[in-house]
Amino acid sequence: MAHDVSTYVIVGTGAAGISAAQAIRQRDPAALITLIGDDPHGFYSRPGLAYYLTGELAERQLFLRQAGPFVMLTGRVTGLDVAGRRVITADGREHHYDRLLLATGSAAGRLPTAGAELKGVVKLDNLEDAREIVRRAGRGRTAVVVGGGITALEIVEALAARGVSTNYLLRSDRYWPNVLDETESRLVEQRLRNAGVRIHYRTQLACIFGKHGRVAAVETDRGERIKCHLVAGAIGVEPRLELARLAGLKIERAIATDEYLQTSAPDVYAAGDAVQESDDITHKPTLDTLWSKALRQGRIAGANMAGDREQYRRRVPFNVTRLAGLTTTIIGRVNAGPDDDLVSIARGDSETWRQLPEVMAVQWHSRLDRTRVLVARNTIIGAVVMGDQTLSRPLQQLIANRVDVTSIAERLRRAGDALSDAIIGRWLEWSHGTAE
Amino acid sequence: MNVKLTCSRHEIRSTGRVVTDGSRCVQCGMCSYNCPSGIDVRHHSWLGRPVDDSRCLACGQCVARCPRGALTFTRLALFNEGGS
């Protein structure tokens, strides 16, 4: 009698896809696991591209030790037949599945500007994009960057590090206005200026001009013409939903799943950027594009595909990144309002960061470091820690576990060292309490 | 980062080790790239394990270079009596 070997197909070779494949393999050593993705380089650290771009990291370092064994195929999945349990790739091949995971991720939006099709107009979505930026960035060259969030800054910093004369166009009067507060924005902008970046406030890209099919200059809405060799856009990413749409899966902001990460179709699961979350205050579908979320969802979806029944519960959105060389941790709810530089969510971003109810904000800063803590009633609901990271771990745990901070409320009102001592004190007290 | 050591690596390694925080790590590989002993620190982080490799010099390069604060040097409870 032949053994039944389960066949798993995973669409997407990013963090969610690999993490799911690994979870399946741990539970089902005999399973046939096939990952299909349209990135010819397979799995590598996408957040690491920022450091590859600045020259701090060699390209080969982006690739991880293979976790396998899985079958990795490069190709575009163009069809999904839920009833027939098969996916169809662009080359016409059909792949049968017992369980399917959609980990299709998100893709950068194209600049809506005239001239965006010219050579030298770049984005930063994947390794190929990063290679193109490296090819086109050299000393004596000039670049124009538009957009917001982490990715725009990654490009700006990389170009400056490579000796490119860099112009950063901001639609509003400061950087990332709906996550950072004004002081934080100014800290970042000052450091960019120190690195030689020219920031153009309240300026939009009106048109990109080309010569022989290549970028030659841009014109801003203020009528300024900037000669350049490179135009980079990071105006946000959109979840990739074509396949889910095609198969008629339930979609609101992105793919809707139940608490086991199963979609509206039987045996079809989803994880990562293409999955919507539910905001725990507004209860509305919301988006996160965080690496840690993709890994966790991938692991849980993979486990459930292999027969477990593990519920996915959303965690407080959290990211650590480097903004103009300053290590910055963003946790929970930190700000509100729109950001004109982004048309959609950025990478490494969470919409929840912008869902701020009525709070008291306490902040303190020294020349380089700044910490901002958002206190609502008796809990801390958000924080931005720039530079010195001593408080980031305690704050992350106090926020994630909704620890009551009534006992330090009075001290929290007094900014400065007293605040920092109060937070660490409360955190130690709480962690000893949970350890007992 | 210049650190003057007043004790041997054996002394340091017997008092602590590098631990990883998977929720902060994005597998960029900066730690492995900068490890003078050639330890794949990133892989330890992927597996959620401390860097328990005998080649570790406790030099602190990986901790200092990690752009996301995912690595910390943590003291072991065993031999740290009287340690500062």
Side-chain angles (χ1 to χ4, degrees):
Chain A
M1 199 176 91
H3 280 289
D4 279 342
V5 175
S6 299
T7 306
Y8 299 87
V9 173
I10 295 170
V11 184
T13 55
I18 290 290
S19 159
Q22 208 169 294
I24 297 169
R25 177 59 74 223
Q26 279 167 0
R27 287 163 181 79
D28 190 350
L32 180 61
I33 306 172
T34 307
L35 292 105
I36 312 172
D38 52 9
D39 192 322
H41 301 289
F43 181 50
Y44 52 89
S45 172
R46 211 229 67 100
L49 291 177
Y51 316 122
Y52 160 63
L53 278 177
T54 54
E56 290 166 274
L57 209 59
E59 188 189 297
R60 63 180 156 75
Q61 201 64 45
L62 296 168
F63 294 88
L64 276 72
R65 192 178 285 183
Q66 194 50 263
F70 327 122
V71 180
M72 276 255 218
L73 300 175
T74 301
R76 208 161 56 83
V77 177
T78 50
L80 166 53
D81 171 11
V82 173
R85 289 173 180 266
R86 61 199 178 121
V87 295
I88 301 116
T89 45
D91 57 8
R93 284 173 65 187
E94 289 183 4
H95 302 266
H96 161 80
Y97 66 80
D98 294 318
R99 299 263 156 81
L100 173 72
L101 178 72
L102 295 180
T104 44
S106 54
R110 292 261 166 203
L111 283 175
T113 321
E117 70 294 341
L118 289 163
K119 272 187 191 156
V121 179
V122 298
K123 59 184 174 64
L124 178 56
D125 238 359
N126 50 44
L127 180 55
E128 274 312 310
D129 294 333
R131 280 181 176 176
E132 190 180 354
I133 294 174
V134 169
R135 263 199 308 274
R136 292 179 188 279
R139 274 183 199 285
R141 301 205 144 210
T142 302
V144 171
V145 183
V146 292
I150 295 170
T151 309
L153 215 61
E154 285 174 350
I155 301 174
V156 168
E157 288 181 65
L159 292 171
R162 289 180 175 272
V164 176
S165 167
T166 307
N167 295 273
Y168 184 22
L169 273 47
L170 287 174
R171 286 187 176 209
S172 61
D173 53 5
R174 62 185 179 91
Y175 168 70
W176 218 3
N178 59 5
V179 171
L180 305 182
D181 74 358
E182 184 163 353
T183 310
E184 288 151 4
S185 297
R186 297 293 176 235
L187 252 172
V188 172
E189 292 160 20
Q190 186 55 45
R191 292 173 70 90
L192 290 181
R193 271 194 292 274
N194 290 347
V197 176
R198 246 183 95 201
I199 303 174
H200 304 249
Y201 296 99
R202 291 188 211 91
T203 306
Q204 294 187 33
L205 192 60
C207 182
I208 309 168
F209 298 103
K211 206 174 179 181
H212 310 303
R214 282 168 193 269
V215 171
V218 300
E219 192 169 282
T220 70
D221 61 342
R222 301 176 147 221
E224 190 186 355
R225 209 178 164 102
I226 307 168
K227 279 191 181 175
C228 60
H229 307 87
L230 184 85
V231 176
I235 55 168
V237 294
E238 294 283 351
R240 296 178 65 181
L241 306 172
E242 309 85 12
L243 211 55
R245 272 207 190 97
L246 212 64
L249 304 185
K250 187 182 174 196
I251 294 172
E252 289 163 331
R253 297 288 311 283
I255 302 172
T257 65
D258 64 11
E259 63 268 46
Y260 301 102
L261 295 169
Q262 187 167 326
T263 68
S264 56
D267 295 321
V268 180
Y269 292 74
D273 286 5
V275 174
Q276 67 186 28
E277 302 255 15
S278 171
D279 189 284
D280 56 354
I281 289 185
T282 64
H283 300 292
K284 284 184 181 158
T286 180
L287 300 179
D288 277 348
T289 50
L290 301 164
W291 167 276
S292 55
K293 165 205 141 166
L295 275 188
R296 220 176 118 243
Q297 280 194 339
R299 185 188 59 70
I300 293 172
N304 290 339
M305 287 163 76
D308 285 12
R309 289 289 280 171
E310 187 178 343
Q311 283 192 358
Y312 169 75
R313 284 182 205 284
R314 190 180 187 217
R315 287 188 180 160
V316 171
F318 151 84
N319 198 5
V320 194
T321 185
R322 218 170 52 177
L323 300 177
L326 272 180
T327 302
T328 302
T329 305
I330 305 163
I331 318 160
R333 295 161 199 276
V334 295
N335 212 334
D339 181 348
D340 296 337
D341 290 305
L342 291 164
V343 297
S344 53
I345 189 168
R347 265 195 208 285
D349 193 0
S350 170
E351 289 183 340
T352 298
W353 290 340
R354 296 180 273 284
Q355 299 290 327
L356 192 63
E358 221 165 87
V359 288
M360 173 183 87
V362 278
Q363 58 255 311
W364 69 101
H365 67 110
S366 61
R367 198 170 55 84
L368 276 180
D369 309 311
R370 180 180 164 86
T371 303
R372 178 161 56 99
V373 176
L374 289 306
V375 188
R377 285 201 201 108
N378 50 359
T379 54
I380 300 175
I381 59 160
V384 176
V385 183
M386 290 180 116
D388 185 341
Q389 294 294 306
T390 314
L391 286 181
S392 80
R393 231 173 277 265
L395 281 169
Q396 186 191 346
Q397 293 190 5
L398 292 176
I399 294 167
N401 295 289
R402 297 196 176 108
V403 176
D404 192 311
V405 292
T406 316
S407 60
I408 56 165
E410 203 39 56
R411 288 164 75 198
L412 281 178
R413 284 195 184 89
R414 296 194 299 265
D417 291 343
L419 177 57
S420 145
D421 290 347
I423 288 169
I424 290 178
R426 182 67 189 100
W427 170 64
L428 286 173
E429 199 179 275
W430 170 80
S431 37
H432 286 154
T434 50
E436 274 160 17
Chain B
M1 189 182 187
N2 284 318
V3 182
K4 265 197 179 160
L5 297 180
T6 52
C7 45
S8 75
R9 84 179 172 99
H10 298 290
E11 283 172 300
I12 297 173
R13 292 204 56 230
S14 64
T15 57
R17 61 184 177 181
V18 174
V19 293
T20 59
D21 177 352
S23 70
R24 287 172 172 255
C25 176
V26 289
Q27 293 288 307
C28 69
M30 199 89 99
C31 48
S32 306
Y33 190 53
N34 287 290
C35 175
S37 303
I39 301 169
D40 192 358
V41 180
R42 162 171 57 186
H43 192 63
H44 286 79
S45 182
W46 178 256
L47 300 174
R49 290 187 191 146
V51 182
D52 48 8
D53 193 301
S54 63
R55 293 171 296 165
C56 177
L57 304 168
C59 68
Q61 280 291 336
C62 57
V63 178
R65 303 266 187 157
C66 173
R68 310 222 173 196
L71 302 171
T72 40
F73 193 79
T74 301
R75 301 181 75 84
L76 293 168
L78 285 175
F79 305 111
N80 63 355
E81 263 176 55
S84 55

